[in-house]
Amino acid sequence: MEPGRAGWLLLLLLLPALGAAAPGEFDPYRVLGVGRSSSQADIKKAYKRLAREWHPDKNKDPGAEDKFIQISKAYEILSNEEKRANFDRYGDAGESQGFSQQQHRQFHRFHDGFYFDESFFHFPFNSERRDTSDEKYLLHFSHYINEIVPDSFKKPYLIKITSDWCFSCIHIEPVWKEVAQELEALGAGIGVVHAGYERRLAHHLGAHSTPTLLGLINGKITFFHNAVVRENLRQFVENLLPGNLVEKITDKNYIRFLSHWRKDNKPHVLLFDHMPVVPLLYKLTAFAYRDYLSFGYVYVGLRGTEELSSQYNINVYTPTMMIFKEHIDRPADVVQAREMKKQLIDDFLSQNKFLMVARLTSQRLFQELCPVKKSHRQRKHCVVLLTEEGEKFAEAYEAFLTFAVANTKDTLRFVHIYSDRQPEFADALLMDEEKYHGRSAVVILERRNNAGKIAYKALEEAWQGSKEDNFILLDLLDQLRTDPGLLSSETVVADLNDELAPMFLIRWFYSIVDYISDWWDSLFHSNWREMMPLLSLLFSALFILFGTVIVQAFSDSSDTRDAPSSGKEETATKMEKNDASFSKESNSRIPKKSFVEVTELTDINYTSNLVRLRPGHMNVVLILSNSTKTPLLQKFALEVYMFTGSSSLHFSFLSLDKHREWLEYLLEFAQDAAPIPNQYDKHFLERDYTGYVLALNGHKKYFCLFKPHRSGDEGGTLGSCEDYDALQHVEARGKSSCSPGSRSIKNKLHKLSFWMERLLEGSLQRFYIPSWPALD
């Protein structure tokens, strides 16, 4: 036999032996002292017992710390079903799936002994010898969903999907490394996904081959389809950004641009540079701060910018950045540097994100300008000018602005608000007093919590901007430094309206444009695997369309041949058609089922029926007790029957006798709609929640609440037994009770059907919760 062939046979024979587990291999089952068939409860119980025994703080044995680490590692593997399955199958808890790290190291030690140098093929089979520059960019699924996607609304991301066994990945590595370092320094995000270890994330991103390059911005994915060279990648990232981030400014339009501060409610930034095109660094900066600042770019080498450069004394040889606020004749702040760096720009802009007297146009802006007090040392007081639009109030505003500029402090923030645009906010502070009608007012306030509670004090008289008004306000601010109790009044203000939000039609138009652009990009660049759902949908629509036309044509011809001759038959035919049309309209809403599926919400089905409910689905839950179960379920089935045709609605009931604590915890987040009494109230445990209905959205973590009507409400007889008898086809089982008590109980769900209609319209108030409580 040839020597080379004998060597390969020997290698094949030794591989199984090398893959065998070493005698000292880590075994989590042995560490915890449980069997391979043990349940999660047994594993958790064993872990708690061993952790208490070997905790280094309690056990002074020299090896207690190492033993505790082994116990923690074993529990980490066995408590995760995926890691446990990998260990049971391959003897390894990682995601290598079939080729453990121990086998990997043994295999390489073996072939290294045969002097098999993989560098001879210029391909890094051994990942330990590869360049580790990508390690700091590696993405995992949870990290991508929870951090990268939200961060993409502040900066674009360039993401590479790669794998170990990929020749093309090695080919683009030098270009990728250079571009990644350059773009990261400019403010772009970089990510790397290893398809071998992060299959779920690679599939989520739509990557079916490696290498794949894509961009992520505003949560939207765009694939890169050109040659992997430096300029193409830079241009790809630049094209991800919106085109209107930075406006070109010249002598003709700079006054108009800077004067928009009142309309935009933002400071305006002018960037002076000698580059003919806007540098990518400035575009990325403008995207990151687009919610706070408006950006303009001045090419100082262009004819037509001489007046602008002279007006603000610009050094044409040094890049300059200027911030303009309420006064456009002079900048509020300036920075110059021969080489603008991202850190320098960020520090400069972060200190100038707001106007001197910004207008409160949204709740988000109110929370940023007037944050909640977290400690005594972190007090932030807002001095608010409540005024109206128009020249009549311009003098009062200018006086307030002058006062704010002269009294700028870290603990004070000066803002103003148009009371005619935010009437609820103004009424809560001014209490609708006559002396403020048609005039401006000044209020000093401090936010106490996120629920809208504030402490405040209003100036006794309306604000006119006189010297006396200035002295009174200055005296109050001086007293406030030493006496925080000066803000003696308290109230709750509603969330501010978003004045600058685009109209519904504009948002709808932008959504349509995005959808068309995505479809167009998929049509020309996606592979057949990605195109199959679209093609299937297209052919299905065409088939249904042509099938409907053909059926309609045949039905029309048969109706013509069978047309009735007598007037009596014609009348009968019309009546039948009317009945048919009525039944058709009714069938569009009446469900196909002849019964209502109402299941009990218990700790067994709680996770599947609520916590992990699919997006877009809701569970409508009726609250009842053992004594009211039968009549309430009968009335509930009658009220919701017309809505059971929707596949996104599920119907359940919850026993108040078993789960009162869970319900009261949920209702604490709906205090306005369903106030919860104090636990020391003598009637606390007697409160009747039967007849309450909750529509629970498990995915978005909110619920809508229906409170039962009082028995004396109008139309209360709708809960009578005769109405239930009309729905005998809905529930074949169960005997209806015609007693007065059951009738009054059924009246609790009067008008539930109208509430269901509002639920489907999305017009009900929503109460959000941080997480779903356990249903013990």
Side-chain angles (χ1 to χ4, degrees):
M1 183 181 293
E2 298 179 2
R5 187 175 179 183
W8 282 109
L9 287 176
L10 180 60
L11 172 63
L12 293 175
L13 291 173
L14 288 177
L15 274 177
L18 290 171
E25 185 179 4
F26 180 77
D27 185 356
Y29 292 102
R30 179 170 51 81
V31 172
L32 293 182
V34 295
R36 290 183 175 268
S37 59
S38 300
S39 64
Q40 286 293 336
D42 295 336
I43 293 173
K44 187 175 183 179
K45 184 177 181 180
Y47 166 72
K48 287 184 176 180
R49 176 177 56 80
L50 293 173
R52 284 195 298 267
E53 179 183 353
W54 290 98
H55 196 283
D57 293 341
K58 298 181 179 180
N59 195 321
K60 301 305 179 182
D61 190 287
E65 184 175 355
D66 294 337
K67 181 67 175 179
F68 183 77
I69 293 174
Q70 288 187 348
I71 294 170
S72 301
K73 181 180 178 183
Y75 179 70
E76 179 184 359
I77 295 173
L78 297 184
S79 61
N80 186 302
E81 292 297 341
E82 183 178 356
K83 292 183 178 180
R84 183 179 180 182
N86 282 338
F87 181 83
D88 292 341
R89 191 174 304 163
Y90 310 118
D92 181 79
E95 299 180 357
S96 53
Q97 295 189 4
F99 195 72
S100 67
Q101 296 296 327
Q102 181 70 17
Q103 296 169 343
H104 185 75
R105 289 191 294 268
Q106 291 173 345
F107 177 74
H108 280 288
R109 286 199 298 267
F110 178 80
H111 73 63
D112 285 344
F114 278 90
Y115 303 101
F116 179 76
D117 188 2
E118 57 197 29
S119 64
F120 176 79
F121 296 96
H122 302 283
F123 186 79
F125 291 108
N126 189 345
S127 59
E128 295 177 359
R129 300 182 183 178
R130 295 188 58 178
D131 187 6
T132 59
S133 60
D134 284 346
E135 289 185 0
K136 65 177 181 178
Y137 304 127
L138 287 176
L139 302 180
H140 304 287
F141 186 83
S142 59
H143 177 224
Y144 172 82
I145 296 296
N146 299 325
E147 298 184 27
I148 301 301
V149 172
D151 198 41
S152 68
F153 289 84
K154 298 179 182 178
K155 62 183 178 182
Y157 273 81
L158 182 63
I159 299 176
K160 177 183 70 170
I161 292 91
T162 183
S163 62
D164 281 340
W165 308 89
C166 171
F167 286 96
S168 300
C169 300
I170 308 306
H171 178 72
I172 69 172
E173 193 70 28
V175 178
W176 165 262
K177 184 176 180 180
E178 177 187 0
V179 173
Q181 293 177 350
E182 180 182 359
L183 292 178
E184 187 180 26
L186 296 179
I190 305 297
V192 176
V193 178
H194 197 292
Y197 301 102
E198 287 293 334
R199 294 193 182 99
R200 182 183 179 189
L201 179 54
H203 179 74
H204 176 80
L205 296 174
H208 303 294
S209 61
T210 54
T212 297
L213 300 178
L214 55 88
L216 175 70
I217 189 170
N218 293 332
K220 177 184 174 183
I221 295 172
T222 304
F223 285 89
F224 176 78
H225 302 289
N226 296 325
V228 183
V229 295
R230 175 179 176 274
E231 291 303 322
N232 287 349
L233 289 174
R234 279 180 55 92
Q235 190 62 43
F236 172 69
V237 173
E238 190 167 352
N239 291 340
L240 293 175
L241 299 169
N244 58 349
L245 285 173
V246 183
E247 184 178 351
K248 295 292 185 66
I249 303 300
T250 62
D251 293 340
K252 297 180 180 180
N253 63 354
Y254 81 94
I255 295 180
R256 174 192 59 79
F257 172 76
L258 296 178
S259 300
H260 273 190
W261 66 267
R262 191 182 301 273
K263 179 181 178 181
D264 299 339
N265 196 35
K266 300 177 182 178
H268 283 57
V269 184
L270 280 184
L271 312 167
F272 296 85
D273 207 336
H274 55 274
M275 302 292 291
V277 296
V278 182
L280 181 57
L281 172 62
Y282 291 160
K283 289 186 177 181
L284 292 170
T285 302
F287 180 77
Y289 291 91
R290 68 191 185 282
D291 292 337
Y292 302 97
L293 304 165
S294 295
F295 289 81
Y297 182 75
V298 182
Y299 172 34
V300 294
L302 179 67
R303 180 177 298 178
T305 60
E306 296 87 354
E307 177 185 344
L308 183 57
S309 300
S310 176
Q311 170 75 16
Y312 301 114
N313 194 22
I314 299 299
N315 182 357
V316 296
Y317 300 105
T318 304
T320 305
M321 183 177 292
M322 290 185 172
I323 293 279
F324 293 84
K325 296 185 178 180
E326 285 87 349
H327 301 103
I328 66 172
D329 56 336
R330 62 183 184 276
D333 205 351
V334 181
V335 63
Q336 284 184 337
R338 290 191 175 276
E339 186 177 359
M340 285 286 185
K341 295 289 186 179
K342 179 180 180 299
Q343 186 62 46
L344 175 65
I345 296 177
D346 287 343
D347 294 341
F348 176 70
L349 296 181
S350 61
Q351 298 173 4
N352 296 279
K353 291 166 54 177
F354 305 105
L355 297 170
M356 295 300 299
V357 182
R359 180 161 62 93
L360 298 180
T361 56
S362 66
Q363 184 66 18
R364 179 190 63 82
L365 194 60
F366 181 42
Q367 292 173 348
E368 288 198 57
L369 291 172
C370 305
V372 175
K373 178 193 71 172
K374 295 182 179 179
S375 67
H376 180 74
R377 295 183 178 181
Q378 294 177 339
R379 290 186 178 274
K380 285 285 185 181
H381 297 104
C382 270
V383 186
V384 185
L385 172 68
L386 294 99
T387 183
E388 297 182 16
E389 296 181 82
E391 294 295 330
K392 176 182 176 182
F393 304 93
E395 184 178 352
Y397 169 77
E398 291 296 335
F400 186 76
L401 175 62
T402 303
F403 182 89
V405 173
N407 294 276
T408 302
K409 297 178 181 178
D410 293 339
T411 58
L412 293 178
R413 178 74 73 177
F414 292 87
V415 297
H416 74 287
I417 194 169
Y418 287 153
S419 54
D420 51 341
R421 295 194 182 187
Q422 307 286 350
E424 295 181 359
F425 187 90
D427 292 343
L429 294 177
L430 302 181
M431 300 299 180
D432 200 22
E433 294 190 19
E434 290 291 336
K435 60 183 177 181
Y436 298 118
H437 282 182
R439 308 173 73 181
S440 301
V442 172
V443 176
I444 307 172
L445 63 85
E446 179 185 62
R447 291 182 64 227
R448 293 295 172 88
N449 58 29
N450 290 318
K453 184 178 180 180
I454 63 171
Y456 72 99
K457 181 177 181 59
L459 266 66
E460 295 294 337
E461 300 297 331
W463 173 268
Q464 298 178 352
S466 62
K467 290 185 178 180
E468 183 179 357
D469 290 341
N470 281 266
F471 286 138
I472 293 175
L473 180 57
L474 185 61
D475 183 57
L476 284 176
L477 294 177
D478 288 339
Q479 295 181 40
L480 190 63
R481 286 190 304 173
T482 58
D483 183 17
L486 183 67
L487 307 181
S488 56
S489 302
E490 289 189 351
T491 187
V492 176
V493 295
D495 289 351
L496 296 176
N497 304 320
D498 192 350
E499 300 177 14
L500 304 180
M503 297 175 59
F504 170 76
L505 291 178
I506 296 177
R507 296 199 302 268
W508 179 82
F509 174 75
Y510 287 153
S511 300
I512 293 297
V513 170
D514 290 340
Y515 177 80
I516 293 176
S517 63
D518 292 343
W519 179 84
W520 187 263
D521 182 70
S522 299
L523 181 63
F524 286 96
H525 295 111
S526 298
N527 54 35
W528 283 104
R529 182 183 301 181
E530 296 170 335
M531 289 295 295
M532 283 304 294
L534 180 61
L535 294 176
S536 176
L537 178 62
L538 180 62
F539 281 114
S540 299
L542 292 175
F543 177 78
I544 294 173
L545 177 63
F546 284 108
T548 304
V549 171
I550 294 173
V551 172
Q552 186 68 30
F554 278 105
S555 63
D556 290 344
S557 62
S558 62
D559 290 344
T560 304
R561 290 194 305 268
D562 300 336
S565 57
S566 64
K568 185 176 181 179
E569 293 177 351
E570 182 177 356
T571 304
T573 304
K574 289 182 178 179
M575 293 177 63
E576 291 176 1
K577 288 184 177 179
N578 291 336
D579 293 342
S581 63
F582 176 79
S583 63
K584 183 177 181 180
E585 293 175 358
S586 300
N587 288 336
S588 65
R589 182 169 178 179
I590 295 178
K592 298 179 181 179
K593 297 179 180 179
S594 60
F595 61 95
V596 181
E597 294 180 356
V598 185
T599 59
E600 183 177 3
L601 195 63
T602 64
D603 55 345
I604 298 176
N605 60 10
Y606 178 68
T607 301
S608 59
N609 285 5
L610 176 60
V611 179
R612 295 183 180 176
L613 205 61
R614 288 180 294 173
H617 287 239
M618 300 189 74
N619 197 336
V620 182
V621 181
L622 168 67
I623 308 301
L624 48 77
S625 61
N626 293 334
S627 60
T628 61
K629 182 175 182 180
T630 300
L632 278 181
L633 278 178
Q634 292 173 356
K635 182 62 175 177
F636 182 73
L638 176 65
E639 292 289 325
V640 304
Y641 175 67
M642 300 299 293
F643 305 91
T644 55
S646 173
S647 60
S648 62
L649 291 180
H650 309 272
F651 300 93
S652 305
F653 69 90
L654 185 78
S655 174
L656 185 61
D657 302 321
K658 301 177 183 177
H659 306 295
R660 173 182 287 269
E661 183 178 353
W662 179 88
L663 175 63
E664 290 175 344
Y665 171 82
L666 227 62
L667 293 181
E668 288 179 359
F669 295 92
Q671 289 287 351
D672 294 336
I676 305 302
N678 189 279
Q679 61 178 342
Y680 298 107
D681 186 356
K682 63 180 181 180
H683 301 296
F684 174 64
L685 297 177
E686 302 173 1
R687 185 170 181 85
D688 183 18
Y689 295 107
T690 57
Y692 278 53
V693 179
L694 289 81
L696 310 174
N697 190 315
H699 179 68
K700 292 189 177 181
K701 295 184 179 64
Y702 72 80
F703 66 93
C704 302
L705 178 64
F706 170 86
K707 292 207 306 178
H709 285 253
R710 297 186 299 273
S711 59
D713 284 353
E714 182 181 350
T717 58
L718 287 179
S720 63
C721 297
E722 290 78 9
D723 291 305
Y724 176 71
D725 293 337
L727 196 67
Q728 288 297 328
H729 65 281
V730 177
E731 290 186 354
R733 297 178 299 173
K735 296 181 180 180
S736 64
S737 175
C738 296
S739 63
S742 65
R743 185 179 296 113
S744 62
I745 291 174
K746 291 180 180 180
N747 287 344
K748 288 188 173 186
L749 298 181
H750 175 50
K751 294 185 179 180
L752 176 61
S753 59
F754 298 104
W755 182 83
M756 289 291 299
E757 290 181 356
R758 292 185 60 197
L759 174 66
L760 296 180
E761 292 171 358
S763 59
L764 290 176
Q765 183 179 3
R766 298 176 178 180
F767 303 99
Y768 288 84
I769 65 173
S771 62
W772 293 111
L775 190 69
D776 297 326

